[in-house]
Amino acid sequence: PTADPLYGMRVHAWVVVCPGQRGVPEAFFIEPTSGSALSTLDPNYLGIEYVFNARNVWVNMQNCSAGLQDMEYDLKDSARWEYVFPNEDSLRLPNTRLVKRDAALTDVECAESWVEPLTLEPKAYQTRCLRGTRRITTHDKVIDLYAEYLNEDGLIRRVTTSSQEDTSKTLDVTCTFKHRHDRLLRMQHKLPSEDSSSLTHFYLPGHPFKLKEMVVLGQPGRERQVRFYHQARAEGLVERVETPTEFTETFAERHDRLEMRQATFQADLAPANLITSHDAEGSLLARVESVLERYARNPAVPEDQDLEEILFLPDAIQLKYFRAPTELTAATIELEKPQLTEKQTMAAITQ
């Protein structure tokens, strides 16, 4: 290659992290154009004229004709780094002896800035961008940023992801919220496709129903998964899964050791939507096919006396106990519901 006429004459600024604080064993560079951490022996850096931070400026007194191979980065060594503004941190010679100087010398008048003083009102800080909105566009994403309190629903960020093959096809939309009374943090909507679709809500602690996450699967919603902050709920409800034919609840840390409750509904009478969206309570109860409750093991009770499952059927109740290590099968009890004649009635059970 031809000789570079500007070799060694170009001015570049980068970050040097000096050793001694925050557990840094040796100095290293951070290249601002890439954000990479590099060695101080990197051949791309030919020399250093001066370094500065928020308190002072140090001029390099070392010879850089051979590059940075023998460079020392002890800024307190005034033989190698000459400070510009005297202060308590910089007035040190190589023997670390504090040099006493005239107090008037420590008050250095700097040249005034050539720009007007910067002012930032609180409202402008909340806005952070022109008219409260800003859009960032990449190959497959469109990121919309909104100032806090700009939207009534608390929306502060929306990320729209498109297909890399066809950017006009939207795959999912993720919205982030702030300052909402229902504690909604994020909502992710995966648009319908050949595989599936879903709508997911994430909540912060403090929701009235102690919601943690809610996922609606299918198009239209054929399954809903709701997760809770069970420590904050009296019944210890952890998760609830709903489909048109099933309703399953999972519990934790209950005094009665109940772990799961599952209700099954007749498939031929199941509506198209979720069972909880059916507003007729009477018809919902009429479709109940079975109710299963499962309990955790109680070590204080023998296995053959510790109830594991209760199955409620339209005409019977089945009890199943834990199997003892010495038994081949678990003990079970079936209680048949009496058949009522046309003249017999059974009083409704009320609380």
Side-chain angles (χ1 to χ4, degrees):
T2 60
D4 185 1
L6 298 179
Y7 181 80
M9 299 177 61
R10 295 182 178 88
V11 179
H12 180 56
W14 66 96
V15 180
V16 56
V17 180
C18 295
Q21 295 183 353
R22 301 178 182 177
V24 179
E26 59 182 4
F28 64 92
F29 295 154
I30 298 179
E31 174 54 45
T33 59
S34 62
S36 303
L38 302 175
S39 171
T40 56
L41 303 179
D42 193 295
N44 293 317
Y45 300 98
L46 305 180
I48 298 177
E49 295 184 1
Y50 61 89
V51 298
F52 67 92
N53 60 12
R55 297 189 300 270
N56 213 327
V57 179
W58 290 266
V59 179
N60 182 24
M61 308 299 294
Q62 304 173 71
N63 188 359
C64 297
S65 58
L68 303 180
Q69 304 297 323
D70 301 324
M71 182 70 62
E72 297 290 339
Y73 296 93
D74 184 7
L75 300 181
K76 295 180 181 181
D77 188 350
S78 60
R80 292 181 172 88
W81 297 94
E82 182 67 28
Y83 56 83
V84 175
F85 303 110
N87 54 47
E88 293 295 329
D89 295 332
S90 60
L91 297 180
R92 294 186 180 274
L93 294 174
N95 57 6
T96 68
R97 179 174 55 87
L98 182 63
V99 179
K100 295 183 179 180
R101 298 187 179 182
D102 189 355
L105 296 177
T106 61
D107 187 10
V108 180
E109 293 185 3
C110 300
E112 295 184 359
S113 175
W114 58 87
V115 299
E116 295 294 332
L118 299 178
T119 58
L120 184 61
E121 299 293 334
K123 184 177 180 180
Y125 174 76
Q126 294 291 344
T127 303
R128 301 183 185 178
C129 45
L130 183 63
R131 297 181 181 178
T133 63
R134 183 158 61 99
R135 170 167 288 189
I136 303 174
T137 304
T138 63
H139 173 66
D140 59 344
K141 286 184 174 61
V142 177
I143 304 174
D144 295 309
L145 304 177
Y146 302 91
E148 297 180 14
Y149 305 105
L150 179 67
N151 298 311
E152 294 183 359
D153 59 355
L155 178 65
I156 61 173
R157 177 186 176 95
R158 179 172 56 224
V159 180
T160 304
T161 305
S162 305
S163 173
Q164 295 186 356
E165 293 78 11
D166 183 7
T167 55
S168 62
K169 181 180 179 180
T170 302
L171 299 180
D172 65 78
V173 180
T174 302
C175 300
T176 305
F177 303 89
K178 202 172 183 180
H179 309 298
R180 286 181 60 107
H181 294 291
D182 59 359
R183 307 295 291 167
L184 177 62
L185 173 64
R186 188 169 65 256
M187 180 175 63
Q188 183 177 13
H189 186 196
K190 293 186 178 180
L191 300 183
S193 61
E194 298 180 357
D195 299 332
S196 61
S197 64
S198 64
L199 178 62
T200 307
H201 297 77
F202 300 92
Y203 295 87
L204 294 171
H207 188 275
F209 298 107
K210 312 303 183 290
L211 290 181
K212 183 177 183 180
E213 180 182 347
M214 181 173 64
V215 183
V216 179
L217 303 175
Q219 180 65 24
R222 300 291 294 176
E223 180 177 344
R224 177 163 54 193
Q225 303 172 2
V226 186
R227 298 175 181 87
F228 302 87
Y229 292 97
H230 67 276
Q231 298 89 346
R233 294 185 63 97
E235 80 280 33
L237 181 59
V238 176
E239 184 182 27
R240 175 183 295 162
V241 180
E242 308 171 20
T243 67
T245 59
E246 282 188 358
F247 186 93
T248 305
E249 293 180 332
T250 306
F251 303 89
E253 302 177 4
R254 286 178 60 107
H255 297 291
D256 59 359
R257 308 185 316 281
L258 178 63
E259 289 185 334
M260 187 271 290
R261 179 186 292 123
Q262 183 182 61
T264 305
F265 300 85
Q266 300 179 23
D268 54 344
L269 300 178
N273 298 322
L274 298 174
I275 55 176
T276 52
S277 62
H278 200 58
D279 53 2
E281 182 179 358
S283 60
L284 180 63
L285 296 177
R287 295 191 295 109
V288 175
E289 193 172 65
S290 65
V291 176
L292 174 65
E293 291 185 351
R294 183 174 292 117
Y295 295 84
R297 177 76 176 90
N298 185 4
V301 179
E303 288 86 349
D304 55 356
Q305 300 180 17
D306 190 10
L307 189 61
E308 181 181 9
E309 291 182 358
I310 302 180
L311 179 61
F312 298 90
L313 300 173
D315 56 352
I317 299 177
Q318 297 179 357
L319 308 179
K320 178 183 177 182
Y321 294 86
F322 284 91
R323 184 182 65 85
T326 57
E327 302 293 336
L328 295 178
T329 59
T332 59
I333 298 178
E334 182 171 347
L335 306 175
E336 295 184 357
K337 181 179 178 180
Q339 299 294 332
L340 301 179
T341 63
E342 296 181 356
K343 295 183 180 180
Q344 292 177 322
T345 59
M346 181 177 291
I349 300 176
T350 59
Q351 295 182 352

